[in-house]
C-alpha cells in the first residue's frame, strides 16, 4: 500500500482516536495521536505531519484556537476540523482561521480521506480557504436557513429574526435556487 504521509489526529476521546487511527493507518497514513493542544504542538514540531484531523472540543482546549498555532509551526499542514457541534458560525470561523475543511461527527474514515485529499493534486501549493470551500459552506447555510424557516412555521420575519438577518436579505437568499454540491472534475 502506498504511504500517503503523516497525519496528526488530535482528539481527547481515546477510544475514537484508537479506532480512527487504525482505520486511517489501513488507508496508507502514518498516524500520530495527540489528546490535547500541547501534545499536538509537540508532535507537529517533531513529526512534521502533512495532515491534521482536529476535534473542536479538546477537553479544556479549543480546536479553533489551535488551528493558527498549528499553522504557525507547519504552514503546509492541511487541517480538517471535526465536530459534534456543527454550526455555520463554527464552520466559517474554522475556515477563516486556516482549516481546509470541516466535517460534522459522526464521520467515517473514507469521508475524512476524501476531505483531506480534496484539491490536494499539487502538494507544494498551499490551499487557501477561499472559493474552494464556498460550495459546502453555502450548502450548509442553505440547510440551516431551511431548518430555521421550518421551525418558524414559514414565517419569514420570525426566521430572519432568529437568523440575525434583515427580512429582505433572507428573502433574497430564499429566492436563489438550492445550492448544488460540486461534482468531480
Amino acid at each position: 500500500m502506498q504511504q500517503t504521509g503523516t497525519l496528526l489526529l488530535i482528539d481527547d476521546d481515546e477510544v475514537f482516536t484508537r479506532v480512527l487511527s487504525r482505520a486511517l493507518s489501513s488507508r496508507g497514513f502514518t498516524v500520530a495521536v495527540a489528546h490535547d493542544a500541547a501534545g499536538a504542538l509537540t508532535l507537529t514540531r517533531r513529526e512534521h505531519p502533512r495532515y491534521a484531523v482536529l476535534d473542536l472540543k479538546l477537553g479544556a482546549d479549543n480546536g479553533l484556537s489551535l488551528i493558527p498555532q498549528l499553522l504557525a509551526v507547519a504552514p503546509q499542514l492541511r487541517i480538517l476540523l471535526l465536530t459534534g457541534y456543527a454550526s455555520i458560525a463554527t464552520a466559517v470561523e474554522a475556515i477563516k482561521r486556516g482549516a481546509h475543511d470541516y466535517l460534522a461527527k459522526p464521520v467515517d474514515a473514507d469521508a475524512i480521506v476524501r476531505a483531506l485529499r480534496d484539491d490536494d493534486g499539487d502538494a507544494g501549493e498551499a490551499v487557501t480557504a477561499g472559493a474552494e470551500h464556498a460550495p459546502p459552506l453555502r450548502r450548509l447555510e442553505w440547510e440551516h436557513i431551511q431548518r430555521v424557516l421550518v421551525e418558524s412555521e414559514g414565517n419569514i420575519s420570525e426566521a430572519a429574526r432568529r437568523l440575525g438577518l434583515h427580512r429582505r436579505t433572507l428573502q433574497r437568499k430564499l429566492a436563489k435556487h438550492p445550492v448544488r454540491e460540486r461534482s468531480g472534475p
Side-chain angles (χ1 to χ4, degrees), residues 96-115:
K96 281 182 182 177
R97 290 182 184 223
H100 290 85
D101 213 333
Y102 174 97
L103 292 175
K105 289 181 180 177
V107 64
D108 65 25
D110 291 329
I112 290 172
V113 171
R114 279 192 302 275

Side-chain angles (χ1 to χ4, degrees), residues 49-64:
R50 181 173 181 185
Y51 307 100
V53 177
L54 170 64
D55 190 26
L56 177 66
K57 303 278 186 185
L58 293 173
D61 299 321
N62 181 319
L64 283 177

Side-chain angles (χ1 to χ4, degrees), residues 25-92:
S25 293
S26 73
R27 287 162 175 80
F29 292 94
T30 301
V31 180
V33 177
H35 297 291
D36 58 24
L41 291 168
T42 300
L43 281 172
T44 301
R45 286 184 192 95
R46 188 174 69 215
E47 301 290 330
H48 307 289
R50 181 173 181 185
Y51 307 100
V53 177
L54 170 64
D55 190 26
L56 177 66
K57 303 278 186 185
L58 293 173
D61 299 321
N62 181 319
L64 283 177
S65 62
L66 186 56
I67 294 170
Q69 295 174 49
L70 289 169
L71 290 172
V73 173
Q76 82 294 347
L77 187 62
R78 195 170 172 79
I79 300 173
L80 170 64
L81 186 74
L82 298 182
T83 182
Y85 308 93
S87 74
I88 293 171
T90 306
V92 170

